[in-house]
Amino acid sequence: MMSRYDDDDQETMEEAPVRAASNLKLVVEDKEEEEAETDAAPAPSSIRRGWGAAETVKHADSPFAQRLRVTEEPTIVKFVEDEPYASYRQHWVERSGQKSFTCIADSDPKGCPLCDAGMRPSTRFAFNVIQMTSDSEPTLKSYEVGPRVIDQLKNFHNDPRQGPLSKHFWAVSRSGKGATSATNHQLVKERDLEEWNIDQLTTETFKLLKSKAYGPDIIQIPSRKDLQQIVLDDLDS
């Protein structure tokens, strides 16, 4: 008894060329269709242009919060929420490498080694904001401020003409230097975004970025052992 493959070999010489030609035609047509689809396919939305997009992609997979850089040049932001997502105390150590460390005095019954070494922590407050620029898509940022700025933001939030914080957009900038520097906030209504060369923030984009908002768990908490080592290595020297 012949196998199925043996039966296939019994084609006559007249039938085989016809079938082969038919198959060849199908292959050529399929290839042309694939090439046409390739040529017509638009660039993937994940591929973006501009320096702003480069910065966004660079930090996309970072385990740390992407901080908002406040400079003399105003930047437009939209508060995602009406309150800070994290309030904590932070030490600043003049050393090589990492310089800022979250104070553990309130979470460790033995206290904080940096506090014990005489280093006074500063108070920090972090907000989820969406940064709007003219050269890139809206980006989620962590807007981190100190006691003076938190008081300003609280006043804005409670002002019936300006608040709540998430109601409008804000142009954030910094003036002065060092201890005399100040952070400025200018209310920007949605209808005025065009004057800043900023596109409207769509509901879909806002919801997407809000779903990625930072929480308290993004704040790095150092171990007591690490802080003790910093005291030994850096402060004693």
Side-chain angles (χ1 to χ4, degrees):
M1 180 176 179
M2 293 186 179
S3 69
R4 177 171 61 86
Y5 300 101
D6 292 331
D7 287 338
D8 291 343
D9 289 339
Q10 301 304 310
E11 294 177 338
T12 64
M13 293 301 295
E14 294 179 351
E15 293 177 336
V18 175
R19 184 170 300 180
S22 176
N23 291 341
L24 179 61
K25 181 179 179 181
L26 290 174
V27 171
V28 172
E29 288 178 347
D30 290 344
K31 184 175 181 180
E32 289 176 347
E33 290 177 359
E34 290 175 0
E35 291 176 350
E37 291 175 357
T38 302
D39 293 339
S45 59
S46 58
I47 309 300
R48 289 167 282 179
R49 181 186 180 90
W51 288 112
E55 191 68 16
T56 299
V57 173
K58 175 182 175 182
H59 296 284
D61 297 325
S62 173
F64 305 101
Q66 191 175 344
R67 290 186 174 92
L68 177 73
R69 293 182 66 252
V70 180
T71 65
E72 294 180 357
E73 186 70 23
T75 185
I76 301 295
V77 302
K78 173 81 168 176
F79 282 86
V80 176
E81 303 145 336
D82 294 318
E83 60 186 14
Y85 72 82
S87 300
Y88 58 102
R89 294 190 295 172
Q90 182 183 77
H91 289 283
W92 183 265
V93 183
E94 290 296 342
R95 63 194 292 268
S96 59
Q98 183 179 350
K99 294 180 172 59
S100 61
F101 301 90
T102 303
C103 179
I104 63 173
D106 297 331
S107 59
D108 193 314
K110 295 182 180 180
C112 174
L114 295 183
C115 289
D116 295 340
M119 294 199 64
R120 185 178 178 179
S122 61
T123 309
R124 306 297 295 169
F125 307 91
F127 291 84
N128 280 298
V129 299
I130 298 173
Q131 184 178 26
M132 312 281 290
T133 63
S134 59
D135 66 342
S136 66
E137 297 178 1
T139 308
L140 180 69
K141 298 282 187 177
S142 177
Y143 181 27
E144 300 174 12
V145 304
R148 286 186 299 176
V149 177
I150 193 67
D151 288 341
Q152 294 179 31
L153 295 177
K154 185 177 181 181
N155 290 335
F156 292 144
H157 175 66
N158 292 328
D159 188 330
R161 297 169 301 174
Q162 302 181 88
L165 281 176
S166 61
K167 182 178 180 181
H168 299 292
F169 294 81
W170 298 86
V172 185
S173 62
R174 177 165 292 154
S175 58
K177 296 182 179 180
T180 62
S181 66
T183 303
N184 311 301
H185 300 84
Q186 176 185 347
L187 186 149
V188 178
K189 294 187 177 181
E190 186 174 16
R191 65 171 181 262
D192 299 326
L193 288 177
E194 187 176 355
E195 298 178 6
W196 294 83
N197 197 28
I198 301 294
D199 293 333
Q200 297 289 332
L201 179 63
T202 66
T203 302
E204 292 75 13
T205 299
F206 179 81
K207 289 182 178 180
L208 175 62
L209 294 176
K210 185 175 182 179
S211 69
K212 300 179 180 180
Y214 301 118
D217 57 328
I218 199 71
I219 306 298
Q220 297 288 312
I221 308 298
S223 67
R224 181 178 180 81
K225 181 179 180 181
D226 288 342
L227 295 182
Q228 288 176 329
Q229 193 62 49
I230 291 172
V231 173
L232 293 174
D233 294 345
D234 295 275
L235 299 186
D236 286 350
S237 60

